[in-house]
């Protein structure tokens, strides 16, 4: 196919380049011009990480064909300021701490810059709406909005430029506004994430994934793919030289499916080729013959007799059971004046970090296998990979690239072993960048859970006994499941001293997408159930929700569920502060009615008013016509 010639002005410089006709503007900027400040987060125009200016208008570059940019004036994050300098907007982002993981920040800065270019006097509602096409998973947006308002004032001259300077720190950094050291590289787009790194002679990897949830692999024929021009290697589980299996607690996950697949999207084979197009075409040439097996998708059926067995070592599909016992629950329930019982469920949750999984592997001149990826647990990954590739630990090196959001989701090793195998087979650098679709289908999620809860209480609100039974869906592999269940058991009954407990947390295998680490690590599922029960108990006992918690809260000297005696405790102060700050209206849950005094106060952040800038433009137009 003939090349496409692009003639454009990019960041004030004339560009005249040939490129592939299938490329998007995003690809042209990143691959051909090495302007990697523009990121790909979704590839569907939803997240805004790829935002650039085209002829002065904010554009999602992942949606624009490169050919349409010919003759245009393009401005990327790298072109907003001179090298080594920052615009007032970028300095304001630095000042307020608006950049955390930083992956969304170049696109966010572009959108914020566009907002003030379009309307230098934009109020907060218009700023919120204009930034609505850009997603941030770290900050909660408050610091971003604060930064835009500061930049607006500085640019307009109503706020002194000193407002962008770092705050002075007196005796202690605690409580002081200290700027992040890495913020300038993030707000300017200079920081290199794994997908931004380019190495000479680098190959691109693509992965063939299972269309079946549970199936035996009868054969894999890679010969046609290997014979294709531009294909450097094809790898399968047969290429693993060492012990094939990894995981945080149980090493049950192969580098690629071995003998059978256990969930839709599991890696079966991978191709390393000169470019992405060749690698993707080669995938279609790999022939895999499957024998479908019965699938297991309901964790409640996992331990039933006759249920499909996901891993042979666990014939009952049980990954881990964590029991906690304290006191005598039978006596505790006999002492209760009221017994409450209910069931709670939580769903699978996607981490949705803005940076999809990515990585590079290469073999250095000393035959050390090097993996660069945003791994949140590189020391553990290094030790596991050494066993898998049968090399001593001093011949395996992991480099943690900047993490563009993780929330625990990049703690589990998933794709690094494939990269290492391909690098060892080709002795060339190999890069793999997940699409958002791959990230959704192949990476670990929050554990779905089912909790059966039984609580005994006295009329004064004191909890006399709790039975807590949690069943979690671990999916196809163990990953962090054991740790999640331990944390769920330890935190099961909240920060309350209960003398009689019977806690059981179990996690089982299914043919669903694997479950792994996610913020709160089992605590969220448990606390959802516990705090719901506390509210229900408050309603049943006609008590204020704060009061029932004060009756049961752990104090100094209290014994935790695992029999630890607390030497310090601060829950009383935390609840006092929360009650005061929320302007809490005292009383049982049923007494407030339709009107509440503790909502919509002056310090409550209001939601974005959709159509704010359109409404304002219409109002201004009507006012102009009235004056005329």
């Amino acid at each position: 196919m003939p090349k496409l010639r692009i003639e454009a002005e990019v960041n004030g410089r004339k560009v005249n380049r040939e490129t592939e006709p299938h490329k998007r503007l995003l690809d042209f900027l990143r691959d051909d011009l090495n302007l990697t400040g523009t990121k790909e987060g979704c590839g569907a125009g939803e997240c805004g990480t790829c935002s650039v200016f085209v002829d002065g208008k904010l554009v999602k570059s992942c949606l624009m064909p490169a050919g349409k940019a010919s003759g245009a004036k393009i401005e990327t994050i790298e072109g907003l300021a001179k090298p080594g300098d920052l615009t007032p907007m970028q300095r304001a982002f630095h000042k307020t701490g608006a950049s955390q993981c930083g992956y969304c920040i170049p696109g966010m800065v572009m959108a914020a810059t566009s907002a003030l270019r379009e309307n230098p006097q934009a109020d907060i509602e218009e700023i919120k709406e204009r930034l609505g096409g850009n997603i941030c998973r770290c900050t909660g947006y408050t610091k971003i909005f604060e930064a835009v308002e500061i930049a607006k004032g500085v640019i307009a001259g109503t706020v002194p430029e000193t407002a962008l300077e770092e705050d002075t720190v007196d005796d202690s950094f605690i409580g002081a506004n200290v700027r992040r050291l890495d913020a300038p590289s993030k707000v300017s787009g200079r920081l290199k994430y794994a997908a931004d790194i380019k190495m000479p002679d680098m190959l691109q990897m693509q992965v063939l994934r299972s269309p079946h949830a549970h199936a035996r692999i009868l054969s894999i024929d890679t010969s046609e793919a290997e014979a294709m021009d531009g294909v450097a290697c094809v790898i399968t589980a047969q290429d693993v030289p060492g012990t094939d299996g990894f995981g945080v607690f149980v090493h049950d996950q192969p580098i690629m499916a071995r003998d059978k697949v256990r969930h839709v999207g599991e890696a079966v084979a991978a191709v390393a080729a000169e470019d992405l197009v060749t690698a993707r075409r080669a995938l279609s040439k790999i022939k895999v013959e499957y024998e479908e097996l019965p699938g297991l998708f309901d964790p409640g059926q996992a331990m039933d007799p006759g249920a499909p067995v996901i891993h042979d070592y666990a014939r009952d599909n049980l990954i881990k059971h964590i029991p906690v016992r304290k006191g005598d629950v039978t006596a505790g329930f006999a002492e209760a004046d009221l017994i409450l019982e209910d069931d709670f469920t939580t769903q699978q949750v996607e981490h949705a970090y803005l940076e999809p999984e990515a990585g590079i592997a290469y073999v250095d001149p000393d035959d050390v296998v090097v993996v660069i990826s945003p791994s949140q647990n590189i020391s553990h990954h290094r030790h596991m990979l050494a066993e898998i590739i049968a090399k001593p630990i001093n011949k395996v090196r992991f480099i943690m690239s900047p993490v563009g959001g993780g929330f625990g989701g990049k703690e589990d090793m998933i794709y690094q072993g494939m990269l290492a195998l391909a690098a060892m087979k080709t002795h060339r650098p190999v890069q793999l960048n997940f699409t958002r679709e791959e990230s959704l289908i192949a990476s670990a999620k929050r554990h779905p859970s089912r909790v059966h809860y039984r609580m005994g209480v006295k009329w004064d609100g004191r909890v006399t006994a709790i039975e807590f039974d949690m069943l979690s869906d671990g999916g196809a592999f163990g990953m962090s499941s054991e740790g999640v269940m331990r944390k769920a058991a330890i935190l099961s009954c909240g920060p309350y001293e209960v003398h009689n407990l019977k806690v059981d947390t179990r996690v089982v295998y299914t043919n669903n997408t694997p479950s792994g680490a996610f913020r709160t690590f089992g605590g969220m599922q448990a606390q959802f159930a516990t705090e719901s029960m506390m509210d229900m108990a408050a309603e049943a006992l006609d008590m204020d929700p704060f009061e029932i918690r004060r009756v049961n809260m752990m104090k100094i000297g209290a014994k935790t569920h695992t029999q630890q005696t607390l030497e310090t405790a601060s829950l009383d102060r935390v609840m006092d502060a929360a009650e005061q700050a929320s302007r809490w209206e005292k009383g049982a849950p049923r007494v407030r009615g339709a009107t509440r005094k503790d909502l919509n106060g002056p310090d409550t952040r209001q939601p974005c008013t959709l159509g704010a800038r359109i409404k304002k433009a219409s109002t201004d137009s009507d006012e102009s016509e009235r004056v005329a």
Side-chain angles (χ1 to χ4, degrees):
M1 185 177 292
K3 297 278 188 177
L4 180 69
R5 181 164 292 278
I6 304 292
E7 296 183 32
E9 182 182 316
V10 181
N11 294 334
R13 299 178 62 183
K14 297 292 184 182
V15 170
N16 190 333
R17 292 284 185 93
E18 283 190 341
T19 191
E20 301 296 331
H22 68 269
K23 284 190 174 181
R24 305 162 295 173
L25 175 57
L26 174 63
D27 305 318
F28 178 68
L29 293 171
R30 289 178 55 81
D31 301 339
D32 294 73
L33 304 184
N34 200 32
L35 295 172
T36 56
T38 304
K39 311 297 183 190
E40 179 162 15
C42 68
E46 299 290 345
C47 72
T49 59
C50 67
S51 299
V52 300
F53 288 110
V54 177
D55 292 330
K57 294 295 182 183
L58 192 68
V59 169
K60 306 287 182 65
S61 61
C62 73
L63 298 181
M64 186 174 183
K68 286 196 171 185
S70 195
K73 183 178 180 180
I74 301 165
E75 190 176 9
T76 72
I77 186 71
E78 292 92 344
L80 292 185
K82 294 179 181 178
D85 200 2
L86 299 175
T87 67
M89 183 67 73
Q90 291 167 321
R91 292 177 65 193
F93 269 64
H94 186 191
K95 164 77 173 184
T96 64
S99 64
Q100 290 191 23
C101 86
Y103 196 82
C104 75
I105 293 303
M108 195 71 73
V109 167
M110 296 299 283
T113 301
S114 175
L116 297 190
R117 285 183 181 180
E118 292 284 338
N119 182 7
Q121 303 304 319
D123 61 15
I124 186 61
E125 291 304 319
E126 184 173 346
I127 290 168
K128 288 178 183 178
E129 188 179 1
R130 287 187 181 275
L131 269 59
N134 290 67
I135 297 172
C136 178
R137 280 284 285 116
C138 299
T139 65
Y141 300 101
T142 297
K143 295 299 182 182
I144 292 173
F145 298 147
E146 182 183 335
V148 181
E149 290 196 289
I150 292 173
K152 180 182 75 171
V154 171
I155 293 169
T158 59
V159 173
E161 193 166 345
T162 54
L164 300 174
E165 296 176 359
E166 185 172 11
D167 292 350
T168 57
V169 179
D170 296 325
D171 298 329
S172 174
F173 284 97
I174 298 174
N177 183 6
V178 182
R179 297 193 299 184
R180 295 178 65 110
L181 297 176
D182 58 0
S185 66
K186 292 174 177 177
V187 301
S188 63
R190 295 195 302 264
L191 185 65
K192 299 289 186 182
Y193 296 83
D196 301 331
I197 300 171
K198 311 297 178 188
M199 299 185 72
D201 204 29
M202 187 167 71
L203 299 167
Q204 292 295 324
M205 174 178 279
Q206 290 290 279
V207 180
L208 182 68
R209 301 189 178 279
S210 169
H212 304 294
H214 200 196
R216 186 170 290 109
I217 299 173
L218 301 180
S219 65
I220 303 177
D221 183 356
T222 63
S223 58
E224 194 173 347
E226 290 175 298
M228 286 180 60
D229 291 340
V231 171
C233 77
V234 180
I235 56 172
T236 67
Q238 301 307 313
D239 290 290
V240 175
T243 304
D244 190 9
F246 63 92
V248 179
F249 295 96
V250 55
H251 291 186
D252 59 353
Q253 185 168 2
I255 292 294
M256 286 168 284
R258 180 180 293 274
D259 301 327
K260 72 174 183 175
V261 294
R262 294 176 171 86
H263 71 95
V264 172
E266 184 177 355
V268 175
V271 173
E274 300 296 336
D275 54 70
L276 279 176
V277 172
T278 301
R280 286 171 180 165
R281 286 175 176 164
L283 292 185
S284 66
K285 304 297 183 182
I286 299 175
K287 298 179 177 64
V288 184
E289 186 179 356
Y290 297 98
E291 177 191 346
E292 287 196 64
L293 300 171
L296 175 61
F297 306 104
D298 185 343
Q301 300 171 1
M303 292 187 289
D304 290 348
V309 176
I310 311 304
H311 291 270
D312 290 342
Y313 89 93
R315 304 302 297 182
D316 58 357
N317 291 315
L318 181 66
I319 301 174
K320 195 66 180 180
H321 170 210
I322 305 293
V324 176
R325 302 291 186 266
K326 179 184 178 185
D328 184 340
V329 291
T330 302
F333 281 117
E335 181 190 353
D337 295 319
L338 178 67
I339 295 176
L340 302 173
E341 194 165 1
D342 217 322
D343 294 287
F344 304 87
T345 61
T346 64
Q347 74 279 23
Q348 183 184 78
V349 182
E350 161 66 23
H351 297 77
Y353 24 71
L354 266 292
E355 178 204 27
E357 293 83 349
I360 295 174
Y362 61 93
V363 180
D364 78 4
D366 295 318
D367 290 324
V368 175
V369 178
V370 182
V371 178
I372 305 172
S373 68
S375 305
Q376 293 181 282
N377 200 352
I378 58 173
S379 295
H380 187 211
H381 293 183
R382 178 181 178 229
H383 283 273
M384 289 191 296
L385 186 61
E387 295 287 332
I388 291 165
I389 63 177
K391 282 185 175 289
I393 194 68
N394 66 318
K395 290 296 182 180
V396 179
R397 183 185 181 197
F398 265 80
I399 299 174
M400 185 176 181
S401 59
V403 181
F407 322 121
K410 292 171 183 173
E411 179 176 322
D412 295 294
M413 192 172 87
I414 299 176
Y415 55 94
Q416 289 84 350
M418 290 188 288
L419 284 168
L421 291 179
M424 292 168 62
K425 199 167 184 178
T426 62
H427 270 256
R428 291 172 62 182
V430 183
Q431 185 177 53
L432 171 62
N433 302 321
F434 277 36
T435 63
R436 180 57 61 182
E437 290 81 2
E438 278 186 292
S439 182
L440 288 167
I441 201 172
S443 64
K445 316 302 176 196
R446 185 188 294 283
H447 286 76
S449 70
R450 301 175 184 177
V451 174
H452 182 74
Y453 213 118
R454 191 163 178 250
M455 176 186 284
V457 293
K458 301 289 285 184
W459 293 124
D460 63 1
R462 183 169 59 86
V463 177
T464 62
I466 288 178
E467 283 187 352
F468 178 102
D469 194 292
M470 173 187 280
L471 176 65
S472 293
D473 185 350
F477 300 108
M479 291 192 163
S480 300
S481 286
E482 180 177 330
V484 172
M485 289 304 99
R486 289 188 187 279
K487 188 68 71 173
I490 292 168
L491 300 176
S492 56
C493 302
Y496 309 113
E497 185 173 24
V498 181
H499 297 292
N500 305 296
L501 293 174
K502 181 177 181 289
V503 174
D504 292 282
T505 60
R506 295 178 179 85
V507 60
V508 293
Y509 287 117
T510 67
N511 292 119
N512 295 321
T513 308
S515 300
F518 201 151
R519 278 181 172 176
T520 71
F521 208 74
M524 187 281 295
Q525 297 95 319
Q527 294 315 301
F528 164 63
T530 291
E531 296 302 332
S532 296
M533 287 294 286
M534 293 299 283
D535 285 342
M536 292 159 63
E539 184 170 3
L541 298 173
D542 203 31
M543 291 183 70
D544 181 88
F546 270 96
E547 186 57 30
I548 194 172
R549 287 168 169 83
R550 286 190 174 97
V551 168
N552 293 285
M553 66 183 178
M554 290 184 184
K555 305 178 182 70
I556 294 175
K559 280 194 173 182
T560 68
H561 318 320
T562 53
Q563 306 288 6
Q564 176 190 357
T565 301
L566 296 183
E567 297 179 2
T568 61
S570 59
L571 184 55
D572 54 345
R573 286 171 285 158
V574 171
M575 287 202 294
D576 288 346
E579 186 174 20
Q580 181 178 354
S582 64
R583 301 176 303 280
W584 182 255
E585 193 176 349
K586 286 184 178 295
R590 67 170 68 89
V591 304
R592 289 172 183 78
T595 304
R596 292 181 58 167
K597 298 174 184 176
D598 52 1
L599 298 179
N600 301 316
D603 54 351
T604 301
R605 182 177 135 191
Q606 300 300 318
C608 173
T609 303
L610 295 178
R613 72 176 186 268
I614 299 172
K615 181 179 180 181
K616 185 176 187 302
S618 175
T619 303
D620 291 345
S621 176
D622 292 345
E623 180 64 20
S624 298
E625 291 179 8
R626 188 186 65 79
V627 172

